[in-house]
Structure formats: C-alpha cells, structure tokens
Amino acid sequence: MPQRNNIYFFYKKEPELTSRVDKLIEAARNINYNVVEDASEANIICSIGGDGTFLQAVRKTGFRDDCLYAGISALDRLSFYCDFKLDDISSIINAMDNEEVEVRRYPTIEVTIDDHASFLCLNECSVRSGIIKTFVMDVYIDDFHFETFRGDGMLVSTPTGSTAYNKSVDGAIVDPLLSCMQVSEIASLNNNHYRTLGSSFLLSGDRRLTLKVVQDGNDYPTIGIDNEALSIRHIHDLHIRLSDRKIKTIKLKDNSFWHKVQRTFL
Ligand code: NAP
Ligand code: MN
C-alpha cells in the first residue's frame, strides 16, 4: 500500500522549470512528503504549468479517482485548474502542512466511439469537420432524434470546461457543483433546409447524447478530447455521457469556482 504522503510532480522537464520545481521538491521532502517517480504510487499528483498542463497531468495519469490532484501555476497568475503559484512555495507548503485546503470534485464526461474505444474528458469533447466542407451529424438525446446538425462541428463540455472552448462559442458558464454536460454548436448552418436549436443546452447526468456522423464522404472528423486530437477514420457514432469518475482537486478555502470566473473574466 502506498503511503498517504506519496507525491508525484508532473511538469515539462525543461531546465528553467526543473530548477524551480527542485525547490518545491526539497520543501515537500522537508515536511515529510515522499516524492515518487511513478504516478501510480502517488496519493497526490501535482501538475506544474498551466491549465493545459493540468489536463495532460490528469490524462497521462489515467483520470484517477483514488488520489488528489493539485494544480500549481508556473506563471505569475493563477488559472482555472491551478490554485497555487510555483514561486510562492511557502503558501503551498503552508496549505499542505496545515491542511488549509478543501477537496472539490470535478465531473468528467465519457466518450465512446463506435461502441469500442472510450475516452474521458475533463474539459470537453469536440467534433469538427476535418476538411473545408460542412459536416453533418444526427443528434440524439437518449434514443430520441433531436436535430440534424450541419456546420463546422459540436462540442460537449463539462462544467469546468465551460470556461474554455465552450465559452468561446457562447456557451454558458456552469457551476461544477452541477453534474451535467453542455452541448454547443460550432458555426451551424441554418436556412430553410437545415435547422438546429442554435443555442447551447445542458443535459443531466442521466442522459446520453449520441452523435451519428452522416456517411456522406465527410466521415473523418477531427475529434478533440481536451487538448489531444484523436485520429480515427470513418466514424459512425459517438456516445457521450457523464462519467461516474470525478477528479478530486485541492483548493484553497477562499478560492471558489466563481472567484476564478471573476478573476479571469471581470
Ligand atoms: P491552448 O490552445 O494553449 O489553450 C487555450 C487557452 O485555454 C489557454 O489559455 C488555457 O490556459 C485555457 N484553458 C484550458 N482549460 C481551461 C478551462 N477549463 N477554463 C478556462 N481556460 C482554460 O491549449 P491547452 O492549454 O492545451 O488547453 C486546451 C483547451 O483549450 C481545450 O480543452 C479547449 O477547451 C481550449 N480550446 C479553446 C479554443 C477556443 O476557445 N476557440 C479552441 C481550441 C481549444 P493555460 O494557458 O493556462 O494552459
Ligand atoms: Mn496552454
């Protein structure tokens, strides 16, 4: 059994960053944390970088729900997944040592492609035309045919992903305490022949969204799961639902999701 204080640091091994991280590693050891080289042995996984790094840290360590993730910003500012600043080691150590932190649980979504390959997402899954032509998908909510989409693509975001790509396409920002997923359009074509809802919508955790790619030759969309692209040819169906897996992260007590929204956008 791993010890309770096994900690793993995920970061880009660039010389400048490594020397800054080394100071944090030393400080962690001084308060009796055991720094491990294998993420599967860790109870705490620290991502050091930006939000993009945090997404990678969670993906590369397998979306574990039996450990805590902590985001540490390598920049001078905090971001959505990073509650601590790398150059403020004393407050990181103080928070860890005095347990001045709370744990929050972030919903994730599960994407299944053609009933075999499954992927989890912490921000969103996006499905976009891989070529310059429009892309057509039949959209089902559970087994109900809801609409036929034609345009650039669609994205399905988690609550924490709602401040990322989803916001750029005018989706709503969703409190991560709500377990739901948001479906948004990317440049839908609307005229007397083609009609889509035109606004984003939220689906409860009990629903399943199915996107059936119309097999008209444009059946090789670009699928993005957070910051990775999937390269799968000739896609028929994508099933998307909220996953049972939640990502537990460490937060400072006075730094809620809405503090972050205000700090970033207002
Ligand atoms: P990137 O192109 O460097 O990211 C774009 C920006 O989104 C970065 O500033 C990133 O922060 C920020 N970001 C990531 N997750 C966020 C979140 N949950 N809330 C608010 N901002 C967030 O690529 P990346 O850093 O690897 O991030 C991947 C994400 O970029 C994707 O999951 C997608 O949501 C987003 N994206 C947005 C658009 C768009 O808005 N048109 C297009 C493609 C992808 P950091 O600088 O701290 O990494
Ligand atoms: Mn980035």
Side-chain angles (χ1 to χ4, degrees):
M1 278 294 285
Q3 297 172 32
R4 191 174 161 266
N5 285 352
N6 278 0
I7 192 162
Y8 176 82
F9 293 98
F10 180 99
Y11 57 100
K12 275 204 195 103
K13 306 280 185 305
E14 290 163 349
E16 196 265 340
L17 184 58
T18 303
S19 65
R20 290 164 68 202
V21 174
D22 284 345
K23 291 185 193 138
L24 177 62
I25 292 178
E26 193 189 312
R29 286 197 173 119
N30 286 341
I31 55 163
N32 295 326
Y33 278 82
N34 181 30
V35 180
V36 295
E37 296 296 322
D38 178 352
S40 67
E41 291 171 4
N43 326 94
I44 302 177
I45 294 175
C46 279
S47 155
I48 303 169
D51 284 338
T53 316
F54 189 86
L55 295 169
Q56 282 287 302
V58 172
R59 182 163 305 283
K60 301 284 185 217
T61 58
F63 282 82
R64 285 180 51 192
D65 58 0
D66 60 346
C67 74
L68 292 174
Y69 286 92
I72 297 174
S73 171
L75 298 173
D76 196 27
R77 55 179 171 83
L78 300 175
S79 55
F80 271 90
Y81 293 113
C82 301
D83 281 78
F84 304 93
K85 287 186 201 157
L86 179 57
D87 292 333
D88 194 359
I89 290 183
S90 60
S91 27
I92 303 174
I93 296 299
N94 198 32
M96 287 161 77
D97 210 16
N98 299 319
E99 302 191 342
E100 271 175 18
V101 290
E102 287 174 357
V103 173
R104 71 190 141 203
R105 290 174 172 74
Y106 287 154
T108 60
I109 53 178
E110 186 185 286
V111 181
T112 307
I113 299 172
D114 288 339
D115 291 324
H116 48 88
S118 273
F119 305 92
L120 290 171
C121 305
L122 182 58
N123 259 2
E124 78 284 293
C125 172
S126 58
V127 188
R128 284 179 295 170
S129 177
I131 58 172
I132 209 76
K133 270 169 70 78
T134 56
F135 174 64
V136 187
M137 286 180 289
D138 281 313
V139 179
Y140 291 80
I141 296 171
D142 298 328
D143 294 322
F144 165 61
H145 180 240
F146 182 61
E147 63 180 12
T148 301
F149 174 89
R150 185 174 192 119
D152 282 5
M154 298 187 92
L155 62 95
V156 183
S157 108
T158 64
T160 54
S162 68
T163 50
Y165 199 173
N166 169 76
K167 187 172 186 298
S168 303
V169 297
D170 281 339
I173 293 184
V174 178
D175 194 314
L177 292 175
L178 289 172
S179 285
C180 61
M181 55 185 187
Q182 181 167 187
V183 187
S184 297
E185 301 179 350
I186 311 170
S188 61
L189 195 99
N190 271 284
N191 56 29
N192 292 335
H193 297 287
Y194 302 108
R195 180 75 45 214
T196 55
L197 184 64
S199 60
S200 297
F201 55 94
L202 292 180
L203 292 178
S204 100
D206 297 328
R207 300 258 187 228
R208 183 170 87 149
L209 183 83
T210 298
L211 302 175
K212 276 189 192 291
V213 177
V214 172
Q215 304 295 302
D216 64 352
N218 191 2
D219 55 358
Y220 183 21
T222 301
I223 299 185
I225 48 165
D226 300 338
N227 50 11
E228 286 206 359
L230 293 182
S231 182
I232 303 177
R233 285 191 177 271
H234 309 304
I235 287 171
H236 287 256
D237 300 331
L238 284 107
H239 297 293
I240 306 170
R241 62 175 191 87
L242 216 59
S243 160
D244 299 331
R245 197 85 65 94
K246 289 205 173 172
I247 294 301
K248 287 185 262 182
T249 68
I250 299 173
K251 76 180 267 286
L252 287 169
K253 284 188 176 140
D254 57 354
N255 188 23
S256 78
F257 177 74
W258 294 103
H259 283 96
K260 293 168 197 242
V261 172
Q262 186 196 52
R263 180 174 81 206
T264 310
F265 300 117
L266 292 174

